Amino acid sequence: MEIREPLILRHTVALIIAICFASFGCTEGATPLRLVGGSTPNRGRVEVQYNGVWGTVCDDSWDIKDATVVCRQLGYNGAVRASTNAEFGQGNGTIWMDDVSCTGSESFLDRCSFNGWGIHNCVHGEDAGVVCQESVQAGVPLRLVGGSTSNKGRVEVQYSGVWGTVCDDSWDINDANVVCRQLGYNGAVRASSNAEFGQGNGTIWMDDVACTGSETFLDRCSFNGWGIHSCVHGEDAGVVCQESVQAGVPLRLVGGSTSNKGRVEVQYSGVWGTVCDDSWDINDANVVCRQLGYNGTIRASTNAEFGQGTGTIWMDDVACTGSETSLGRCLFSGWGINNCGHGEDAGVVCQDHAPLRLVGGSTPNSGRVEVQYNGVWGTVCDDSWDINDATVVCRQLGYNGSLRASTDAEFGQGTRTIWMDDVSCTGSESFLDKCSFNGWGIHNCGHSADAGVVCQGATPLRLVGGSNPNSGRVEVQHNGVWGTVCDDFWDINDATVVCRQLGYNGSLRASTNAEFGQGTGTIWMDDVTCAGSESSLDRCLFSGWGINNCGHSEDAGVVCQATTYEGEALAGVIAGSVVAVAVCTTICIAFCCSCCLSTKVYQKINCRDCLTRQWTGPRTQPPPLNPTIRPTQSAPPSASHSSANSTSLPGSNTRVETRYISPAASISGAQTTVSDTSMPLELRPRGNETVGFALNDAPPAYNECIHLPLYEIGSLPVYDEVSSSLPAYGDDGTPYTVS
């Protein structure tokens, strides 16, 4: 726990600082302002945001000095006049400020004298406003960094002579439009978030940017204040701007769960509208995705998959060849000419990164690196290719990391296009196409310089300390050294991944608190969080190799399903229709009743009783259950096998013995057995059930509490006795049966 205390301390300090920022003006930031209801951006009702809530200002004592401070805070040179009596319409909600009295020299409105937040004697008919001078000061400098072309990249802003980034909280197409227009482009293709163009460093200058889209400069938009944020550089905002006037009509994707998918909307004559899905196909989708700055298309979407739009349907019968630079260059019916409803709105799902694959290696984790761009696979040149580049490739493909980078076409020469050259990754990128490189298809290489990688394979696992091979403490080998896993967040999903990696069908339970004994040495993994679908444990989220706050008393373990049901092996043995099952069941019940006096009988009992009984006499381990299909000579020599439970396969010395026990059988009732080889019979799994069994003439050492796989044959629920640990024969060779 000592490791976590500094985090708590830092969070406490951060909270105190945040309160200081918000309440006492510890920085140069200020309460955000906006103008609402005016016919132009430089006029309107003054609204102020306090505690995250927008409200108005009362016009008591409101004059030109107050208006001057407002206008200057908003970036204008000064005020033309102060406005009273809700000239720009009445606001709603809280009236935050009253009796404002500025000298005119203040930098921000909340530095002026006023009654206090929310203290007033006004109504919204007294809302104050301003008209500011239309000419504004030049905005703060902007630049785009990290993009493969000049019109895209991470947005950086220079304030007080220092470059910094913008946080992507609330970042949208309106904000991107302002950035692109300030940089001289016609507008934005899309807004980018989650540090798509790489993480910046230094100060995060702006957060919670909220542009209307009409601002001339980014710093005219509402935001928290310079340097006031709650972000990290993994949230750096970016943009993709329209490349030129010829870039075509603006597009956007609306209604998707992620930014790379949604309903296609096009802006024509300043009005946004939709596209009809008549003739809509992958060629059309390719043009849309490429215009929006994506590498390619996953699929075209029809029938308003991403929700129905509103307003004009601008395009119909779109017929792109796939090579057009913008959607407006494709053939279509004409602007606004359509025979559609919004139930036919078209959409797309774009590739948010270029797919990779490894080719030519002797194992799946090694090979020549190939990347898909615009639907075409190609290679990567090995100029500057190193371990950082290989690490990004391997991580994108789901491996933990790379063992080495490969050059000189070690895994064979590729064909067709060489897509990437002079790749230069830092090693922290999520995808290869986020690294710096020359640009798609720009290279000076031949295929003899094709790059490759060797990735780390799945980390080895073992179970230690269990009473049988399917249970124990989980140990993992990293860098050649075995160590344990901490049980923080350890659950059935994690256990399922472990068991499946070890070859079992699944897990019965997750084990904590060093149930199978404490390990020694390194604790390799902590805070493991699997979805349950991962192919190996090291594909799950965790703290990092060797990073933990645990002791070995927290070593994690698992209990895996001990056996698997081999449906293919039993399909030719278990046969018959539902009617045949019922007949066979009746015969078996009658037979068991007649022979139970001559056999050793298991009684189905309460599992709690089974677990709590004590036996002080000698304990004899029952012999293991024989396989479902076994040579007849493998039975004990003195055994007298019941023909009702065995069948000789024609032309073979193999005898099949398969018992299925009905869970409905009573303690005193007869055995319910299905044994038939006449035709295929379907078994449907129904899960597991914990059942207790006790041998009627044996000490409790023979008692068993087990998890039996439960199936259905027709409508009859049955247990698979073969999967249990019950012995098939006693020491004297007499077969056991079950009731």
Side-chain angles (χ1 to χ4, degrees), residues 69 91 133 148 160 170 275 282 332 393 399 424 462 523 558 699 726:
V69 173
Q133 295 176 15
S148 57
S160 294
S170 306
V275 178
I282 194 67
F332 65 104
V393 168
Y399 296 99
S424 179
R462 67 183 181 188
I523 299 174
V558 297
L726 298 177

Side-chain angles (χ1 to χ4, degrees), residues 124-185:
H124 283 296
E126 301 170 79
D127 285 343
V130 295
V131 178
C132 300
Q133 295 176 15
E134 291 191 41
S135 61
V136 296
Q137 303 162 0
V140 293
L142 297 182
R143 67 184 181 188
L144 301 183
V145 179
S148 57
T149 57
S150 59
N151 67 308
K152 62 179 71 173
R154 178 177 66 252
V155 176
E156 292 193 352
V157 57
Q158 188 185 61
Y159 180 71
S160 294
V162 178
W163 287 99
T165 62
V166 178
C167 181
D168 63 10
D169 292 343
S170 306
W171 189 253
D172 62 17
I173 192 66
N174 288 334
D175 310 317
N177 272 325
V178 173
V179 168
C180 292
R181 206 163 45 240
Q182 180 176 343
L183 289 171
Y185 296 97

Side-chain angles (χ1 to χ4, degrees), residues 17 200 239 256 349 368 398 417 425 501 522 591 610 643 659 686 734:
I17 293 172
V239 296
V349 180
R368 178 177 66 252
T417 306
C425 302
Q501 181 176 345
T522 304
F591 174 81
C610 171
S643 60
R659 296 192 189 92
R686 280 180 43 171
T734 305

Side-chain angles (χ1 to χ4, degrees), residues 38 271 535:
V271 178
S535 58

